[in-house]
Amino acid sequence: MKMNNSRFNNIVGHIKRSRSATLGTIIILLLILAAIFAPILAPYDPIETNVEDRLMKPCIEHPLGTDHLGRDVYSRLLYGARISLTVGIVVVGISALIGVILGIFAGFYGGLTDSTIMRLVDAFLTFPSVFLAIVIAGVLKPGLVSVIIALIVVGWTKYSRVGRGSVLSLKEKEFVESARSLGVHDRYIMFRHIFPNIITPIIIVATLGMADAILSLASLSFLGFGPQPPTPEWGAMLNAGRPFMQTDPHLMIFPGLAIMILVLGFNLLGDGLRDILDPKREIIE
Amino acid sequence: MLDYLIKRLIQIIPVLLLVSIISFSIIYIAPGDPAMTLCAGPDGQVDPEYVEEFTKKYGLDQPLYVQYFTWLKNVLHGDFGYSYKTQQPVWDIVLSAFHATLKLAIVSLVISLIISIPLGIISAIKQNSLTDTFCMIGATLGVSMPNFWLGCLLMLIFAVSINWLPAAGYGDGGDLEHIILPAITLGVSSAAITARLMRSSMVESLSQDYILTARAKGVSERTITLKHAMKNALIPVVTMIGLNFGFLLNGSPVVETIFCWPGLGELTVRSMEMRDHMVVQGCMIFIALLFIAVNLVVDISYKFLDPRISYENE
């Protein structure tokens, strides 16, 4: 436990030294706080419609205006942060778990196991991820769960590649050899000795993966394959605002800005972490 | 080289098989009877007689593996089935959509290179200056920007507000007027990635010994940058074209849908909405094959561009 603590402190210390990582962390923390405290921060209900107040320009009562059903855009954006962050965390968490386990197996055992898993990765990578996600989310019933499943199916491959690559470079190290010669069980070596050493590259890929997942969720919702109305999802909000583009561009501009800021936060943090933790860019790319 | 080629081709076979299995099984992950899924229209109405006929015709009452091999045999013979909606052969529909996508992808690629290469070079020469910081902030913003947002904003500005360009559509066979906005939308995010790659590759290339030699000889900075450093720095960028192509394809469902561009992305989205699964399946296989082919060509051309690379250890 103590070791983990020092590693954590180390990462925090590193983040402070990188401008882009600091900025990214601040953006992400602010948006996480906004999502957690959405019920307190939001002046209006995100779903309840109020036709009298429809299509209002930004004003004092409605800082970001209202949509075509009279719902407060600012309140909806706050609740939307919850959806984007939750989907991001669930998708990245599960796909990293699946990907890393398969990657470690592939790298550790080599041979047929390795080629089977890696050819599977190659096959999934031949489909552009948005296409595959659209097809999966479309065949299942469009909705939040379908999008999560679709994004996991397209997301796990990158973690396998990183996991496998790291294991291959560690496999020949003395500490693994000595554990082996002592007759330690394979699974114990993989998850007790090798796994802690590949956490760093996985964290970097996962941070950039968050940006990717949030952007893909927004794309799928924009196309109508995501959470259905009246869910305040950012991509879906933007799409709903399209018909009013000419008269009420704020309906389109603010949800897009929200998506961009959150994605930017994770990209900045991911890039910063990569520069700090993997300066030679050996593992990723 | 020939050994490498054969090895790559052999490696592709299992990938192709897996790709076909994935495309085939897509229909079967849909809840319910696959025949119903394939026959059902947009409103979910199914004619039981048609389902029965369809089940017989496509052998849907046979075991799964038999169905798979029958399907694979048909696909290998170029028979991708027929669209439920229009009764046209899937292959024809996909091919004409590919035509539109290819057009858009090429123009986007050109736009993306025109933006990214100069930016990357300038950033690298003026490393860590204010200009460099600005370029790289721009690149990070470009990667983080949702393409549908950018597309809508461009449409709002150039088509709705100042009426310079048509808002959407294919025009007369995809003319220049109609292609500009979607191509810029699609090109920006890949330009952002390429600019960053160009910068790091240029920085590396400028730190090589031969650049020092050229400087010692008194070659002008301009010649050094444009002739000596840029040539080598472009190599990784060229390999990126394969990746870029994947990137452009990936953006196409969203961008093509916004601008009503009748390409593969729009076709997939529209067919998915209409539950025209045969067409969706056709799109998937076509795109996968395209992607495999592009990457193979890029890998091989890499070898010609950079003779230092050896494939012995691959």
Side-chain angles (χ1 to χ4, degrees):
Chain A
M1 216 47 229
K2 203 168 180 201
M3 197 187 87
N4 281 339
N5 233 334
S6 75
R7 178 181 285 134
F8 180 73
N9 286 336
N10 227 344
I11 291 180
V12 171
H14 279 312
I15 287 176
K16 280 190 194 151
R17 257 177 279 143
S18 154
R19 253 185 305 168
S20 97
T22 314
L23 186 59
T25 313
I26 292 172
I27 294 176
I28 296 166
L29 285 179
L30 282 177
L31 281 162
I32 288 178
L33 287 176
I36 293 174
F37 296 109
I40 300 169
L41 293 169
Y44 298 90
D45 187 278
I47 289 165
E48 205 181 322
T49 56
N50 182 5
V51 191
E52 275 168 34
D53 290 343
R54 67 192 295 264
L55 295 176
M56 278 169 77
K57 300 266 180 292
C59 56
I60 299 170
E61 295 94 70
H62 298 282
L64 303 180
T66 59
D67 67 3
H68 61 292
L69 295 173
R71 294 170 299 198
D72 181 51
V73 173
Y74 170 65
S75 307
R76 282 174 70 73
L77 287 181
L78 284 175
Y79 279 93
R82 290 185 157 191
I83 301 175
S84 291
L85 284 165
T86 316
V87 170
I89 291 166
V90 172
V91 167
V92 168
I94 298 179
S95 33
L97 191 71
I98 298 172
V100 169
I101 291 175
L102 287 176
I104 291 180
F105 269 106
F108 193 80
Y109 288 112
L112 192 65
T113 319
D114 185 22
S115 32
T116 312
I117 294 175
M118 291 329 281
R119 286 302 85 78
L120 196 64
V121 169
D122 287 346
F124 273 98
L125 285 174
T126 12
F127 298 105
S129 61
V130 174
F131 268 93
L132 190 56
I134 286 173
V135 174
I136 294 169
V139 169
L140 302 171
K141 221 170 123 253
L144 199 58
V145 179
S146 310
V147 171
I148 291 175
I149 294 173
L151 293 181
I152 292 169
V153 172
V154 299
W156 64 276
T157 48
K158 48 183 175 250
Y159 304 98
S160 297
R161 286 209 157 165
V162 177
R164 173 178 179 268
S166 317
V167 171
L168 285 183
S169 66
L170 286 169
K171 211 161 87 175
E172 313 302 327
K173 292 268 164 71
E174 284 90 350
F175 71 94
V176 175
E177 298 233 314
S178 64
R180 269 199 162 159
S181 61
L182 285 169
V184 179
H185 195 273
D186 279 354
R187 209 169 300 154
Y188 193 84
I189 298 179
M190 278 190 268
F191 292 100
R192 271 302 159 85
H193 295 294
I194 291 183
F195 185 70
N197 285 293
I198 66 172
I199 286 179
T200 308
I202 297 293
I203 286 178
I204 300 172
V205 178
T207 311
L208 294 168
M210 279 294 286
D212 213 37
I214 292 167
L215 209 51
S216 305
L217 162 72
S219 303
L220 288 174
S221 309
F222 177 80
L223 292 171
F225 296 105
Q228 300 300 306
T231 319
E233 202 286 327
W234 291 343
M237 284 173 70
L238 205 157
N239 189 34
R242 264 166 84 204
F244 311 98
M245 184 192 273
Q246 201 162 0
T247 49
D248 298 273
H250 67 272
L251 289 182
M252 205 181 74
I253 292 172
F254 293 128
L257 263 181
I259 300 168
M260 188 167 89
I261 292 170
L262 185 54
V263 172
L264 182 70
F266 281 105
N267 273 333
L268 285 173
L269 179 60
D271 285 344
L273 284 177
R274 179 167 56 191
D275 291 342
I276 300 160
L277 301 171
D278 186 24
K280 286 191 214 148
R281 306 204 164 185
E282 276 172 340
I283 309 162
I284 298 140
E285 281 185 48
Chain B
M1 184 66 195
L2 193 67
D3 285 355
Y4 169 72
L5 202 65
I6 294 170
K7 218 171 164 185
R8 268 303 303 263
L9 287 174
I10 291 175
Q11 241 179 20
I12 283 176
I13 296 171
V15 175
L16 279 178
L17 265 172
L18 285 166
V19 163
S20 73
I21 293 175
I22 296 171
S23 309
F24 173 78
S25 46
I26 285 296
I27 303 299
Y28 291 85
I29 63 168
D33 183 12
M36 300 278 256
T37 313
L38 284 166
C39 295
D43 41 6
Q45 287 291 323
V46 195
D47 177 9
E49 256 174 58
Y50 181 63
V51 172
E52 205 170 298
E53 189 195 314
F54 192 89
T55 308
K56 280 244 173 66
K57 189 179 163 200
Y58 286 94
L60 292 179
D61 42 0
Q62 313 232 309
L64 210 56
Y65 69 94
V66 178
Q67 285 183 42
Y68 170 69
F69 284 110
T70 320
W71 174 81
L72 192 63
K73 203 183 95 196
N74 287 339
V75 166
L76 288 175
H77 285 88
D79 176 11
F80 284 73
Y82 293 86
S83 157
Y84 169 80
K85 198 72 192 154
T86 60
Q87 304 301 329
Q88 271 179 292
V90 168
W91 182 247
D92 295 355
I93 302 175
V94 170
L95 219 54
S96 83
F98 168 61
H99 196 77
T101 293
L102 188 65
K103 214 178 238 177
L104 184 58
I106 290 173
V107 180
S108 308
L109 196 64
V110 172
I111 291 177
S112 129
L113 292 177
I114 291 176
I115 304 173
S116 60
I117 290 180
L119 278 185
I121 293 176
I122 294 169
S123 285
I125 302 172
K126 310 202 165 179
Q127 209 186 332
N128 299 328
S129 70
L130 204 63
T131 325
D132 178 26
T133 315
F134 266 116
C135 289
M136 287 307 113
I137 289 176
T140 312
L141 280 176
V143 183
S144 311
M145 199 178 327
N147 52 5
F148 46 90
W149 188 55
L150 178 65
C152 291
L153 287 182
L154 287 176
M155 194 192 275
L156 178 67
I157 297 168
F158 292 102
V160 179
S161 297
I162 52 173
N163 229 336
W164 278 1
L165 293 161
Y170 194 49
D172 184 19
D175 50 41
L176 198 63
E177 265 189 359
H178 283 86
I179 213 169
I180 291 180
L181 291 183
I184 293 177
T185 311
L186 207 51
V188 162
S189 46
S190 82
I193 296 176
T194 317
R196 285 159 85 165
L197 182 74
M198 187 66 203
R199 178 185 179 271
S200 60
S201 156
M202 193 72 186
V203 166
E204 203 197 310
S205 158
L206 281 171
S207 67
Q208 299 289 317
D209 285 343
Y210 67 84
I211 299 289
L212 198 66
T213 315
R215 283 213 176 102
K217 272 199 320 191
V219 180
S220 75
E221 267 316 298
R222 198 190 159 84
T223 320
I224 288 177
T225 326
L226 293 180
K227 225 173 144 194
H228 299 272
M230 195 176 91
K231 253 190 185 166
N232 279 310
L234 276 175
I235 294 171
V237 174
V238 170
T239 51
M240 266 286 284
I241 288 178
L243 206 76
N244 250 318
F245 190 73
F247 211 83
L248 294 173
L249 267 182
N250 213 8
S252 72
V254 171
V255 175
E256 288 177 357
T257 305
I258 296 174
F259 290 100
C260 304
W261 190 262
L264 284 170
E266 195 259 356
L267 179 67
T268 309
V269 171
R270 195 160 35 92
S271 310
M272 205 63 248
E273 277 164 359
M274 295 191 306
R275 306 187 71 78
D276 199 345
H277 289 103
M278 281 290 197
V279 179
V280 172
Q281 222 171 33
C283 286
M284 285 184 72
I285 299 169
F286 190 87
I287 290 164
L289 290 180
L290 196 67
F291 199 63
I292 292 175
V294 169
N295 278 310
L296 188 65
V297 171
V298 169
D299 276 4
I300 294 166
S301 58
Y302 199 17
K303 165 90 178 167
F304 287 105
L305 283 168
D306 192 353
R308 286 173 300 183
I309 305 228
S310 104
Y311 290 115
E312 306 293 305
N313 304 324
E314 292 250 337

